[in-house]
Amino acid sequence: MTNKNPLKNRKKVAILLFFGTILLLVVFAGRIAFIMVKGEVNGEDLSQNLDNLYTRSSILEANRGTIYDVGGESVAMDATSYSLVAVLTDEWSNPDEPQHVIDKKKTAEILEKHISMSKEDILTTLNQKGLSQVEFGEAGKNLSFDTKKSIEEENLPGLVFEETPTRLYPNGIFASHLIGYAALPSGAEDDTATKAKSSTDLTGMMGIELAYDDILKGTDGKTIYQKDSFGYVIPNSKVETTEPENGDDIYLTIDKRMQVYMENVMSEIDEKYNSAMVTATLMNPETGAIIATSQRPTFNGTTKDGIDQLWQNLLVENTYEPGSTMKILTLAAAISEGVFDPNAYFQSGVKMISGIPIHDHNPAGWGTISYLEGLARSSNVAFANLMEKMGPDAWKEYMNAFGLGQTTNSGLANEAKGSVAFDYPLEQANTAFGQGLTVTAFQMLQAFTAVANEGQMMKPQYISKFVDSDTGKETIVEPEVVGNPITKEVANQTLSYLKEVVYNEKGTGVDYQIDGYEIAAKTGTAELVNPKTKKYYSGGTDYIYSVAAMAPADDPKVLLYITVQQPEIKDGSIAGSGVVKEIYHPIMKRALEYLSLGEEEDAETNNVKMPKVTGIAKEEALKSLEDTQLNVTVVGNGDTIVQQLPLPEETTIENQRVVLMTNGAMTMPDMMGWSKNDVLKVSEITGLEFTFKGEGYVVSQSLEPNANMQGTNKITIELETPQG
């Protein structure tokens, strides 16, 4: 019979529960001890989770390095752009403080004044259904701080701004392909709301910005601290700070004054002749430093307007046949080899090589002429003869020594090395007058420095120094000699003979004379291959016209090299070489004027040394200039001076115009009665293009005084000479 004693059963249950509880306590104690020793559960670090719960961090943004011209004027800098967003939903609003657009019609009417969008299009955007917020396309992006501030002052509910780091190029078109640009990587602009961006996210896309991205790009810092569950910093908690490392600054060899002037000349010629490609580069041959360089097509670094026309940096990426400017190098080699006798004679017109004729540009020739006249007339036959006298092996060694067929190791992306076809006698002869080989503009500039610099060939240099923006430590980029293909005596003799091109009445360069200076130069007209027929074009302006000029001829301080490809000259009023001359004369004259000004002593009693006023308040700057007897004009409605002309420490004279630019929106000054040179100072400091009609002094301007200059494509100035 089963024992059904309830007391006994309860006793057994109590014993089982007791020992079960003890077992559970032992298990729990063991588990707790294990967790306390190991500090983790299921592979998760509990201390780390605790830190994550209470630890917060914030990014300390680093700055991308600034790019300056040789005088310390900013040409590329960090900035913040703003994107406009309109909130349409009322779910985040309250009756007292609406956070969404209330009056769409009024909002559209007011916004039209601040962004490039009609009120009808704005209203269409605001009336979209089913969206909580809307953007305004390109018209609402990349807005300046001044535009943002102006919109905020309208007190329109529902308009908010998203910040995006960007790169500002304050001079607009300014050696744009050389400097390049930096931007957020593709797609990064779209996630600004979900991930904070800093200047370290900007990436070089082209030119110096790309080539030196690692140097310019900084490293963000971080602050790590602990907060309690209410969001307050825990007292006496440890704060760990990693300071940001700002990117290094880069100082170029480019002179802003010459660069802006060159860009204005190039824009005027580009509009006039619409050439396929144009380059102009001004260099100091003694150091290889590039003073100014420009190309067409080009683009505006800030707005990117025009960037879709041509991505190539023509200085290093484009290869072409150099034509007769190559004869500078052939002449130097022939002098070096002792085979150039200026008084020896040859039969011009045509020369047969392997049964194939080589022609002068005048196929009938000029009869029997001297080699000096052959140089002046740019005879292909003369230079084919000189190559034969040297021998192809010797000539090939000189081409190698001059760096042809090799890159200049510029550091810029996609630098080409060109090619030299040299297997057959005809090919060998062609190279002597610049045909059958391809070069880059940098290669030619580098080679020309050997002639202009006493035989020492200088590497093209576009950076003068790097500066650590945190410590101020400078790393100077020294001029680099990359070869000595000829001697000093040969170089000087070559320069002397090149003057014949300019000053011999039969020379091809007689139109390149400049009053007061001796010029050594060589012109060129290179044939182009038709991409469809694979044969050379014939006739018209389907050529590359060029000039390489060095001045002063006895000791060159500047070297100007210009190439113009396929200009459109519809009325036949000038030859293609005439386009080169229209670029050459204003640029070379201005360069030599600057050179002369730099050599003059301060003998005038009314000289004024320009003080440094950048970086200080506008009112303070104006006060400091009160006693200088200078005519001061302020461009912009900001409160701080950011640029000035003349530059600090430059010498000017009393009553000359000084132009100061502020950090505010650029506003048009009243230029009535100004000289053309004074107007060009505003162009230089703002980077905007001015076109002129007439000569004399300003009688009208297409943009009214105090109007916003930003976004204006072109400003027309009318000049007249005072009567009587």
Side-chain angles (χ1 to χ4, degrees):
M1 190 172 179
T2 305
N3 184 3
K4 295 184 178 180
N5 187 332
L7 184 60
K8 190 173 183 180
N9 288 339
R10 282 197 296 272
K11 187 175 181 181
K12 288 180 179 180
V13 171
I15 293 171
L16 289 173
L17 288 173
F18 174 76
F19 284 106
T21 301
I22 295 296
L23 180 62
L24 287 173
L25 287 173
V26 170
V27 170
F28 286 144
R31 179 62 171 163
I32 291 171
F34 176 82
I35 291 172
M36 291 176 66
V37 172
K38 293 286 290 181
E40 63 178 45
V41 176
N42 296 328
E44 293 191 21
D45 191 323
L46 295 181
S47 62
Q48 184 63 51
N49 285 353
L50 185 64
D51 279 345
N52 292 342
L53 183 62
Y54 294 106
T55 301
R56 300 290 183 270
S57 66
S58 60
I59 298 296
L60 301 177
E61 293 185 5
N63 296 320
R64 186 176 179 87
T66 300
I67 300 176
Y68 298 94
D69 84 328
V70 71
E73 296 286 334
S74 302
V75 298
M77 66 185 80
D78 278 355
T80 300
S81 68
Y82 301 88
S83 297
L84 179 62
V85 177
V87 178
L88 303 182
T89 179
D90 61 358
E91 60 182 295
W92 302 303
S93 296
N94 62 61
D96 297 326
E97 272 188 68
Q99 303 296 316
H100 65 289
V101 176
I102 302 295
D103 189 333
K104 294 179 180 179
K105 185 177 180 181
K106 176 185 175 184
T107 300
E109 289 174 350
I110 294 177
L111 267 187
E112 183 186 36
K113 304 174 186 176
H114 300 282
I115 65 175
S116 301
M117 197 172 184
S118 69
K119 62 182 177 182
E120 291 78 14
D121 290 340
I122 295 173
L123 195 57
T124 300
T125 300
L126 294 175
N127 283 327
Q128 293 182 75
K129 303 298 183 182
L131 298 177
S132 58
Q133 61 183 38
V134 293
E135 298 179 353
F136 296 88
E138 291 301 318
K141 292 181 178 179
N142 297 317
L143 302 179
S144 68
F145 176 78
D146 291 319
T147 302
K148 170 181 176 287
K149 184 178 179 182
S150 297
I151 294 174
E152 288 176 334
E153 288 174 351
E154 301 285 1
N155 295 316
L156 298 170
L159 298 182
V160 296
F161 294 89
E162 293 176 350
E163 292 187 12
T164 304
T166 189
R167 197 73 163 157
L168 177 64
Y169 302 89
N171 301 300
I173 295 174
F174 187 94
S176 300
H177 281 83
L178 176 62
I179 293 170
Y181 75 96
L184 293 175
S186 180
E189 298 92 337
D190 301 327
D191 63 353
T192 309
T194 58
K195 180 179 182 291
K197 296 290 176 183
S198 76
S199 60
T200 58
D201 294 301
L202 293 170
T203 300
M205 301 293 184
M206 178 195 291
I208 293 168
E209 291 274 29
L210 170 61
Y212 295 90
D213 190 57
D214 290 342
I215 290 174
L216 290 163
K217 189 186 286 285
T219 303
D220 286 341
K222 183 185 290 188
T223 297
I224 301 174
Y225 53 93
Q226 290 191 320
K227 286 187 176 183
D228 61 20
S229 57
F230 295 101
Y232 297 107
V233 176
I234 298 174
N236 302 318
S237 62
K238 184 178 180 182
V239 178
E240 297 180 14
T241 301
T242 303
E243 295 296 334
E245 295 180 13
N246 295 317
D248 288 351
D249 297 330
I250 293 178
Y251 284 73
L252 306 179
T253 59
I254 286 175
D255 183 305
K256 180 180 174 182
R257 298 172 303 170
M258 274 308 308
Q259 184 64 42
V260 170
Y261 187 77
M262 180 181 281
E263 296 291 4
N264 283 331
V265 171
M266 291 282 277
S267 292
E268 185 177 336
I269 299 303
D270 185 52
E271 182 176 348
K272 192 173 179 180
Y273 297 110
N274 192 34
S275 304
M277 287 188 283
V278 185
T279 71
T281 302
L282 184 70
M283 172 189 271
N284 178 348
E286 295 181 333
T287 63
I290 293 175
I291 301 167
T293 185
S294 179
Q295 73 173 61
R296 293 296 181 277
T298 188
F299 66 96
N300 182 305
T302 299
T303 65
K304 308 303 180 291
D305 182 36
I307 199 170
D308 56 337
Q309 293 183 61
L310 184 68
W311 186 264
Q312 263 189 336
N313 179 352
L314 297 181
L315 286 178
V316 295
E317 296 182 62
N318 180 54
T319 59
Y320 56 95
E321 291 190 2
S324 291
T325 51
M326 181 73 181
K327 292 171 184 174
I328 294 174
L329 309 182
T330 314
L331 174 64
I335 294 170
S336 183
E337 288 295 293
V339 300
F340 181 76
D341 181 351
N343 299 314
Y345 283 81
F346 72 99
Q347 180 62 42
S348 64
V350 64
K351 176 183 177 68
M352 301 300 294
I353 297 180
S354 301
I356 301 173
I358 285 178
H359 291 284
D360 284 328
H361 59 87
N362 173 14
W366 306 275
T368 300
I369 60 175
S370 71
Y371 276 91
L372 192 60
E373 184 177 338
L375 167 63
R377 291 187 181 276
S378 196
S379 166
N380 292 341
V381 173
F383 282 85
N385 289 342
L386 291 174
M387 193 284 300
E388 285 185 347
K389 291 175 184 290
M390 281 187 284
D393 291 340
W395 170 229
K396 186 65 162 62
E397 287 181 9
Y398 278 102
M399 285 196 290
N400 291 337
F402 280 120
L404 303 180
Q406 310 156 41
T407 73
T408 65
N409 295 313
S410 67
L412 299 169
N414 306 316
E415 182 176 2
K417 64 180 183 179
S419 63
V420 180
F422 206 76
D423 293 331
Y424 305 103
L426 181 62
E427 292 177 337
Q428 294 160 3
N430 284 341
T431 60
F433 49 85
Q435 193 170 307
L437 78 163
T438 59
V439 297
T440 65
F442 253 35
Q443 282 177 330
M444 295 301 282
L445 286 161
Q446 178 174 279
F448 293 150
T449 63
V451 174
N453 188 42
E454 301 183 336
Q456 287 192 320
M457 190 165 70
M458 307 304 295
K459 179 178 180 178
Q461 179 181 329
Y462 49 86
I463 292 177
S464 62
K465 63 182 177 180
F466 301 94
V467 178
D468 187 312
S469 56
D470 292 325
T471 66
K473 180 182 177 182
E474 296 185 353
T475 303
I476 305 297
V477 179
E478 299 291 348
E480 183 178 348
V481 179
V482 290
N484 292 85
I486 54 176
T487 65
K488 174 182 177 180
E489 292 72 24
V490 169
N492 291 339
Q493 190 65 65
T494 304
L495 286 171
S496 178
Y497 287 138
L498 287 173
K499 288 191 287 185
E500 287 292 312
V501 176
V502 181
Y503 298 102
N504 187 313
E505 62 181 10
K506 300 168 184 176
T508 59
V510 292
D511 291 335
Y512 290 90
Q513 298 178 25
I514 292 179
D515 290 342
Y517 301 92
E518 273 199 317
I519 309 294
K522 185 70 195 76
T523 59
T525 303
E527 293 183 297
L528 279 170
V529 174
N530 186 324
K532 294 180 180 178
T533 65
K534 307 302 181 185
K535 297 179 181 179
Y536 286 115
Y537 287 106
S538 61
T541 57
D542 288 320
Y543 297 93
I544 297 177
Y545 304 94
S546 60
V547 69
M550 306 163 217
D554 59 342
D555 183 18
K557 303 298 183 185
V558 290
L559 163 61
L560 178 59
Y561 182 46
I562 300 168
T563 68
V564 177
Q565 179 177 325
Q566 296 169 296
E568 295 179 0
I569 306 174
K570 298 175 182 177
D571 58 3
S573 56
I574 62 170
S577 58
V579 181
V580 178
K581 295 169 195 171
E582 289 189 34
I583 299 172
Y584 164 85
H585 276 284
I587 293 174
M588 183 61 93
K589 284 179 182 176
R590 179 61 66 92
L592 291 171
E593 286 170 5
Y594 281 161
L595 192 64
S596 298
L597 286 172
E599 293 173 350
E600 290 178 357
E601 294 183 357
D602 296 339
E604 297 290 335
T605 57
N606 61 344
N607 281 352
V608 177
K609 184 168 284 188
M610 183 67 188
K612 183 178 185 297
V613 293
T614 53
I616 65 176
K618 179 176 70 175
E619 298 305 322
E620 183 182 346
L622 293 174
K623 187 174 182 180
S624 70
L625 293 170
E626 280 181 358
D627 299 327
T628 60
Q629 304 299 312
L630 295 171
N631 192 346
V632 182
T633 295
V634 177
V635 176
N637 58 12
D639 56 9
T640 303
I641 304 300
V642 294
Q643 292 192 51
Q644 67 177 80
L645 275 179
L647 299 175
E649 303 302 314
E650 279 193 358
T651 300
T652 184
I653 58 176
E654 292 178 2
N655 299 316
Q656 289 298 297
R657 188 169 302 280
V658 170
V659 180
L660 309 179
M661 188 162 77
T662 72
N663 58 344
M666 292 191 299
T667 51
M668 182 72 178
D670 185 348
M671 295 181 172
M672 292 297 293
W674 286 24
S675 69
K676 183 176 180 179
N677 281 338
D678 284 345
V679 176
L680 287 173
K681 288 178 183 178
V682 176
S683 173
E684 185 174 331
I685 204 168
T686 61
L688 297 177
E689 181 182 349
F690 287 75
T691 58
F692 297 91
K693 295 180 179 179
E695 295 293 335
Y697 296 87
V698 178
V699 293
S700 73
Q701 56 192 64
S702 62
L703 193 64
E704 293 296 319
N706 299 316
N708 194 335
M709 301 168 73
Q710 196 70 35
T712 304
N713 292 327
K714 188 182 299 181
I715 299 171
T716 301
I717 302 294
E718 289 192 22
L719 308 171
E720 284 186 7
T721 303
Q723 300 297 316

